Structures are given as C-alpha cells and as structure tokens.
Amino acid sequence: MKTLNYIHITLFLLCITLSFAQQTPAPEQTKDFAIVGATAHIGDGTVIENSIIIVSDGKITTIGPEASTPLTKQAMTIIDAKDKHVYPGFIVANGTLGLVEVDAVKASVDLSELGTYNPHIRSIIAYNTESKVVESMRPNGVLLGQVVPRGGRISGTSSVVQYDAWNWEDAAIKMDDGIHMNWPSSFSRGRWWLGEDAGLKPNKQYKKQVTELEAYFTESKSYNKGDKKESHLPYEAMSGLFDGSKRLYINVDDEKGITDAVNFAKAQGVSKITIVGAYQADKLTSFLKENNVSVFLRRVHTRPELEDDDYDLPFKLAKTLVDAGILVALEPSGQMERMNSRNLPFYAGTTVAHGLTKAQALQLITENPAKILGIDDLYGTLKVGKSATLFISEGDALDMRTNILTHAFIDGRNLSLETHQTELWKRYSEKLSEKK
C-alpha cells in the first residue's frame, strides 16, 4: 500500500513539473541571418543608425552601417528591423533566478546552505532551468545572469548562466566565477518589538566578527600552501581568491564597512574585489577608484535608508559613481528580487532620468557587468567575433512603454518569447474582446 502511495505522489509531482515546464530551448543556429535597418546600440556607448548585423554559427560576423556593408550571401534569412532597435542581451548581476520558484513552497527554495562559512557551496548545481520565473525574463531582453547563493558569512560560489537551456550544464557560460561574503554590519537597529530603541546603535560584536573572518582567510591560505594531505573542501574553494582566478563579492552598504572590507581583502591578498549593495559608496569614490574596486549597485527602485539622505539618493547613486570613473553594474536584490529582475532595463532607465546618458545607463546592464563577471570576451557588447546574444525591440528598451521585443537570440539561437504570462495576457485580452 505504501509503495502505491509513493507511486501516486511521484506521478503527481511529475504532472506538476510538466505543467510548469519552460518553453523548449531553441535549437542551434543552422542558417546565417542578417538584421537590417535597426538602430544598433553596441553596449559600449556606440550607436549605429540604419545598421546591418550578420550572424553565422552563433557569432556576429559583420556589424556596421547598412550603406557600407552590402549583403553578399543569398542563402541567409533577412530580418527587416527598420525603425527598430537592437541591443546586447541584458545581464542580471548578483541574482538568484533559478534558485527559488515559489517562496511559500519550501521544496522549491534552494537559496542558502546551513552553516556560516560555505565557500565550497556551488549555486550552479541548484539552478533550475525549468523555472517559469526565469522564462519571464526574456520578453524584456534579460538573457544572462549570475546565480548567487545567499546566507551565512561566506555564502558560497556563484556562476554565470544564459536563460534558455535544458539543464544547468547547458546553461552555464562561466562556472564558479566568484565567492560571496556578507561583511559584518558596524551598526544595527534596536529590536523595537522587545522595547528597545529602534534607532541605529554600534554592533558590539563587530570587531570579533572581523577577527573571525581574518582567521578563516589565514587558515585557508595556510591550507592551500600546505601538502593538503587531508582534504578540506571549503579551504580549497577559497584558493581562487588568492591566485586571482575568482572574484570576491562583498555585500556591504555603510561607509565604514566598505572601507574596512576593501582594506581587509587587500591585506589578505585578494586582487579582484566587487562591493555589492554599496549604499554609501558615494562617500568613498576616490578610495574605490584608487583600489580598483568595482560595484554592483543596489536596486535603483528603493527608498532612502537614513533620515538625512536625499529623497532621490538611490536614483542618482549610479551617476555619482560613474562620474568618478568606477566600474558599476546594477543588481536587483531585495524584496521579490527574482520576479523584479525583469525590471532591470527600467532600473537603468531611471538612472537616465537622474543624470546618466542612455548609453551610460545601457552599459550598467551590458558591458559593465560582463567585464566584472569576466565574460566580456563573448558577451555584453555587439562586436565582430562575439556571441550573437541580442534582441530586437520596437522602441527604447530602457522604457517600459516601448520595450516590446520582436526577436531575441542567445548564441544565435532564435528564442521563444512566449511565457505563462504572455499566454494569460492573450487569453484574457481575447475574453475582453468577446461580445456579451
């Protein structure tokens, strides 16, 4: 009887999985195609009007003004994109797409691991390519992302994926790009529910927590310099930070914390450092520039944290950092971060309303994250020899009113832009058009 029950449960779960399955991944490109007549936004600040882009075997082979690049291949597919716009695929930095499907369903949550120090935990093996949340990114031009673990002091190791794959092996475009660390907060808020003052107060455990981190890094370095007779997976995972093959992503917001975290990483011999969140980074622009520290800037659509902050501080932080010459990319963490990742282009659009040019804003979600993630040799910009990971929009892709995709490609593969949401939209738009 128990065996029969297990079979029923298994079949039920399989039915649920199939009913929520993602669109079938697109097949490999077999025929050359050309996108003709569009305004091409290269991603590095360059714009080509009335362009032509030719794609062969998943790579861009030609890009330039249409008038100076006549078509010579007769067997290719021609996509007429006159009066439309072409962009590189947008990149979600510091994302958790594919690690959680439904927050309220515990079995679908694979976001963090038990324990405090987990550098050996690899988020990529938990990435769910069948996620309907991931699928919903593509109609807004969000085609690539970093899959990041959360929790603990050292959360684990991230990887970079493309959002149209059969499994995590197919999805991965860069494995184990970096380790993510949560820097101790130098201040904390009182627990008002216990009758404490809700204002900020110094974290009395701050020095102790930093000392524990120093000890962990020191032990890791000692282990990796030793004979390694006894295997220690967490310490082995840390080795990439010291030989420069991995980047250290440090989640920290306050001025003191950012300063201490960067000095700490430098003292430990870490050469690749990115500050994640960076709410008070505008007070440390010279310091960050001098130390060659890049920034994953907190979600633009948030409110100021402190009473004395400008009301529009989150909106204009990007311009302050860009003007200072710091390499900046946008990240979506926060409430409902997975669903809100589809708004990445509109976060960039908001920075335009607060001082950046459209070309600069575009770089925040294309070229800049590609550089920080170490995938800029193939992704992030539209250039000859790079991956044809791009999309065609009817209008400005940073404006929610005109970000309407007609085509999207990953490595030259023509993607489906259908999702559960577009199906529902069609269903109910037809309902409303019916005669009563």
Side-chain angles (χ1 to χ4, degrees), residues 6 9 139 210 282 342 353 360 368 389 398 411 430 435:
Y6 289 147
I9 291 171
V210 173
D282 59 323
R342 76 190 66 159
Q360 289 174 319
N368 292 1
T389 297
L398 304 188
D411 297 331
E430 290 172 2
K435 293 183 180 179

Side-chain angles (χ1 to χ4, degrees), residues 88-93 97 137-138 141-146 160-164 171 173 344 365-366 370 373 375 378-380 387 389 410-411:
F90 298 150
I91 304 170
V92 176
L97 284 162
M137 301 297 118
R138 298 197 298 256
V142 180
L143 306 181
L144 305 169
Q146 185 185 33
V160 187
V161 300
Q162 50 88 2
Y163 292 149
D164 184 65
I173 60 176
L344 185 68
I365 55 176
T366 54
L373 297 173
I375 59 171
L378 286 175
Y379 301 95
S387 167
T389 297
I410 291 179
D411 297 331

Side-chain angles (χ1 to χ4, degrees), residues 342-417:
R342 76 190 66 159
N343 291 327
L344 185 68
F346 313 137
Y347 297 158
T350 297
T351 68
V352 176
H354 290 79
L356 288 182
T357 65
K358 286 187 178 180
Q360 289 174 319
L362 181 62
Q363 287 177 285
L364 300 179
I365 55 176
T366 54
E367 183 181 39
N368 292 1
K371 285 182 177 179
I372 296 171
L373 297 173
I375 59 171
D376 55 310
D377 58 329
L378 286 175
Y379 301 95
T381 52
L382 304 178
K383 294 184 179 180
V384 172
K386 289 195 175 186
S387 167
T389 297
L390 49 87
F391 64 89
I392 304 172
S393 174
E394 290 187 4
D396 182 355
L398 304 188
D399 186 335
M400 66 178 65
R401 296 168 300 179
T402 55
N403 180 318
I404 303 172
L405 270 64
T406 60
H407 298 77
F409 303 87
I410 291 179
D411 297 331
R413 297 182 296 112
N414 192 0
L415 309 183
S416 167
L417 294 175

Side-chain angles (χ1 to χ4, degrees), residues 35 68 74 89 118 149 169 206 219 295 308 340 379 427:
I35 302 171
S68 62
Q74 301 299 318
N118 294 310
E169 291 97 334
Y206 182 75
E219 290 167 6
V295 169
D308 294 336
N340 280 321
Y379 301 95
R427 176 185 174 190

